[in-house]
């Protein structure tokens, strides 16, 4: 399948997952530092203290990107590296780091694509309620102002938030992510403030970075009924409200889905739901992170409750996520149909598989990841054929890295990292992606 000539091929990563240097050059504590150092929260007690040591090794990593021929690198900025206590004093050393990364990318002809928030929230502000505090909107905008003033002359592609569903629901409802809270009221407060912050920050970024493309990255997950029973169909729509519409509707319609507002009832007490109108600020693009679909089924004996299941014989990644590329095509088509956004980028897509035993002739063989990427790239190409304005595709991830609560066990990289030595070794999938970029075809 061929891609348009000007299609943007990229790789993606995020600050906490790769940088390490958790206590260097004045970086403040983030919620993930606190969370990962709390026993029992992360597999094997892993932390992002060192991670891929990208903070020191970024020249080597950018050289890898250049050798693969990638056009763009999506990275994120660590808020507490810039503002150690979340607000107030600016840590110039933190800004300098990102400035050096941006310059090094540009020197190789690689376009920087910066995400302002990919989950490493300043602990000092979490101590004041984090995203559940209405002041978080202003905290975030002030931080974003500092970053976009410093880098906005050279970075021309900005994502404000990465996956607000994860920040709010994994962080404050399920507690699987930092800050590890389990409280529905807090989760919906956090989600609300994330939406308000999106609306408030877009004009600030535009002002500081003239001519830049500005957007948000959401992680829609298709919610399909596991059977044709009316109850499964009804619950699948509810799951869609929870996972997708609760974020898509604010961003594109300026309102919350009424069916969900009714269902959530007093969980939303005290929130000014109408204020979410401000979230429907025009953006230049929408970023989609795509990994999986859910098949929704009623839970027997627990009326109104649903769970997700897998189809018989499903092929799974190491995360237990089903390999189903058609889901990407369908979701891109749906998002294009239901929103007026002029451009869409897949800002993340990729897969974890177990580490291959040892490299052969200097390459780790990862045939499943190659097949995964081929499948999803073809899924993306099919969406373009159906009229979706898909402009680029970022593979998650360049390097094996800190996979949140799974620690280092789950490897998403197209480049292998030996975490004992920090040695980088190509996997076959990196060479496959290099060919895709060179040929403009998957
Ligand atoms: C995400 C996450 C990434 C994960 C990836 C694989 O944006 O979902 O940003 O940080 O590592 O999704 O789970």
């Amino acid at each position: 399948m061929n891609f348009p000539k000007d299609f943007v091929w990229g790789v993606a990563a995020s600050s906490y997952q790769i940088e390490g240097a958790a206590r260097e050059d004045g970086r403040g504590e983030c919620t993930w530092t606190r969370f990962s150092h709390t026993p029992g929260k992360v597999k094997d007690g892993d932390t992002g203290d060192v991670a891929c040591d990208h903070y020191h090794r970024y020249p080597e990593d950018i050289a890898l990107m250049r050798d693969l021929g990638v056009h763009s690198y999506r990275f994120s900025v660590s808020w507490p590296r810039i503002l150690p206590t979340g607000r107030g004093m600016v840590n110039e050393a933190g800004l300098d780091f990102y400035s050096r990364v941006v310059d090094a990318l540009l020197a190789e002809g690689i376009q920087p694509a910066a995400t302002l928030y990919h989950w490493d929230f300043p602990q000092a502000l979490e101590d004041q309620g984090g995203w559940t505090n209405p002041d978080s909107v202003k905290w975030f905008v002030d931080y974003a102002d500092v970053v976009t003033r410093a880098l906005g002359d050279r970075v021309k592609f900005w994502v404000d938030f990465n996956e607000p569903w994860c920040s709010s629901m994994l962080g404050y409802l399920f507690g699987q992510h930092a800050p590890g809270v389990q409280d529905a009221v807090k989760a919906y407060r956090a989600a609300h403030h994330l939406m308000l912050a999106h609306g408030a920050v877009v004009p600030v970024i535009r002002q500081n970075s003239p001519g830049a493309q500005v957007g948000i990255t959401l992680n829609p997950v298709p919610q399909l009924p596991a059977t044709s029973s009316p109850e499964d169909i009804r619950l699948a729509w509810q799951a869609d409200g929870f996972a997708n519409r609760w974020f898509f509707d604010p961003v594109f319609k300026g309102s919350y889905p009424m069916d969900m507002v009714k269902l959530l009832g007093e969980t939303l007490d005290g929130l000014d739901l109408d204020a979410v109108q401000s979230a429907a600020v025009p953006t230049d693009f929408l970023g989609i992170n795509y990994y999986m679909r859910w098949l929704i089924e009623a839970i027997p004996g627990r009326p109104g409750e649903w769970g997700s299941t897998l189809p018989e014989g499903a092929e799974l990644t190491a995360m237990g996520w089903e390999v189903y590329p058609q889901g990407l095509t369908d979701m891109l088509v749906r998002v294009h149909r239901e929103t007026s956004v002029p451009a869409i980028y897949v800002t993340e897509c990729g897969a974890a598989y177990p580490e291959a035993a040892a490299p052969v002739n200097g390459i780790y063989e990862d045939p499943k990841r190659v097949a995964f990427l081929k499948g999803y790239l073809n899924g993306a190409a099919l969406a373009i054929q159906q009229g979706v304005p898909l402009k680029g595709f970022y593979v998650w991830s360049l390097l094996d890295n800190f996979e949140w609560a799974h620690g280092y066990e789950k490897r998403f990289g197209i480049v292998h990292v030996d975490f004992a030595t920090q040695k980088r070794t190509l996997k076959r999938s990196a060479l496959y992606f290099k060919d895709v970029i060179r040929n403009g075809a998957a």
Side-chain angles (χ1 to χ4, degrees), residues 16 29-39 41 123-124 127:
Y16 191 76
E29 187 185 11
C30 81
T31 48
W32 269 97
T33 314
R34 179 74 61 93
F35 186 76
S36 62
H37 280 269
T38 307
K41 298 296 186 191
Q123 183 63 45
D127 296 342

Side-chain angles (χ1 to χ4, degrees), residues 90-152:
V90 175
N91 178 34
E92 292 297 335
L95 276 179
D96 282 354
F97 166 66
Y98 294 104
S99 193
R100 291 196 304 275
V101 168
V102 165
D103 287 343
L105 289 167
L106 291 173
E108 297 293 359
I110 299 170
Q111 291 309 311
T115 300
L116 287 163
Y117 185 65
H118 199 133
W119 313 349
D120 37 4
F121 191 80
Q123 183 63 45
L125 296 181
E126 190 60 44
D127 296 342
Q128 298 177 49
W131 289 110
T132 71
N133 187 327
D135 290 343
S136 57
V137 176
K138 185 170 166 21
W139 298 336
F140 177 74
V141 171
D142 288 348
Y143 149 69
D145 185 40
V146 171
V147 176
T148 53
R149 268 174 204 272
L151 306 179

Side-chain angles (χ1 to χ4, degrees), residues 96-340:
D96 282 354
F97 166 66
Y98 294 104
S99 193
R100 291 196 304 275
V101 168
V102 165
D103 287 343
L105 289 167
L106 291 173
E108 297 293 359
I110 299 170
Q111 291 309 311
T115 300
L116 287 163
Y117 185 65
H118 199 133
W119 313 349
D120 37 4
F121 191 80
Q123 183 63 45
L125 296 181
E126 190 60 44
D127 296 342
Q128 298 177 49
W131 289 110
T132 71
N133 187 327
D135 290 343
S136 57
V137 176
K138 185 170 166 21
W139 298 336
F140 177 74
V141 171
D142 288 348
Y143 149 69
D145 185 40
V146 171
V147 176
T148 53
R149 268 174 204 272
L151 306 179
D153 56 335
R154 289 157 290 156
V155 175
K156 295 298 177 187
F157 190 97
W158 293 97
V159 174
D160 53 6
F161 288 99
N162 180 70
E163 304 187 355
W165 181 88
C166 294
S167 305
S168 51
M169 300 304 159
L170 294 181
Y172 292 92
L173 177 64
F174 300 117
Q176 293 158 356
H177 280 188
V181 175
Q182 293 179 30
D183 181 327
V185 170
K186 288 186 176 164
Y188 284 91
R189 289 185 77 87
H192 187 60
H193 297 137
L194 287 159
M195 291 293 94
L196 300 185
H198 165 63
V201 83
V202 168
V204 174
I205 303 173
R206 288 200 194 292
Q207 171 140 26
N208 292 341
S209 188
Q213 295 184 72
V214 183
I216 186 169
T217 281
L218 301 176
N219 58 315
V221 179
Q223 308 292 332
L224 300 161
T227 71
S228 55
S229 86
E231 188 59 356
D232 283 357
I233 293 171
R234 190 181 72 83
L235 292 172
W237 183 240
Q238 232 176 65
D240 187 73
F242 171 64
N244 301 323
R245 289 179 291 123
W246 197 258
F247 297 88
F248 274 85
D249 283 15
V251 168
F252 292 104
K253 299 181 187 161
S255 60
Y256 285 112
M258 269 326 288
D259 59 316
M260 294 303 294
V261 170
K262 270 205 193 126
L263 188 74
L264 288 161
E266 60 192 29
T267 302
L268 304 174
D269 276 0
L271 290 183
D272 176 9
L273 297 182
D274 291 338
V276 88
Q277 221 178 326
S278 65
V281 58
T283 53
D284 302 294
F285 67 88
L286 171 69
I288 297 279
N289 290 353
Y290 192 86
Y291 291 96
M292 71 192 103
R293 65 168 174 169
W294 292 353
L295 284 188
I296 300 299
E297 61 180 6
I299 302 179
R302 286 161 62 184
E305 288 187 42
W306 46 266
S308 70
T309 179
L310 290 164
E312 284 257 319
E315 193 192 326
L316 304 180
T317 70
M319 298 294 280
W321 299 342
E322 184 195 359
V323 180
Y324 182 69
Q326 195 195 321
L328 173 60
T329 314
D330 294 347
M331 185 49 85
L332 288 169
V333 168
R334 173 184 171 188
V335 168
H336 172 53
R337 208 177 50 224
E338 294 183 4
T339 72
S340 52

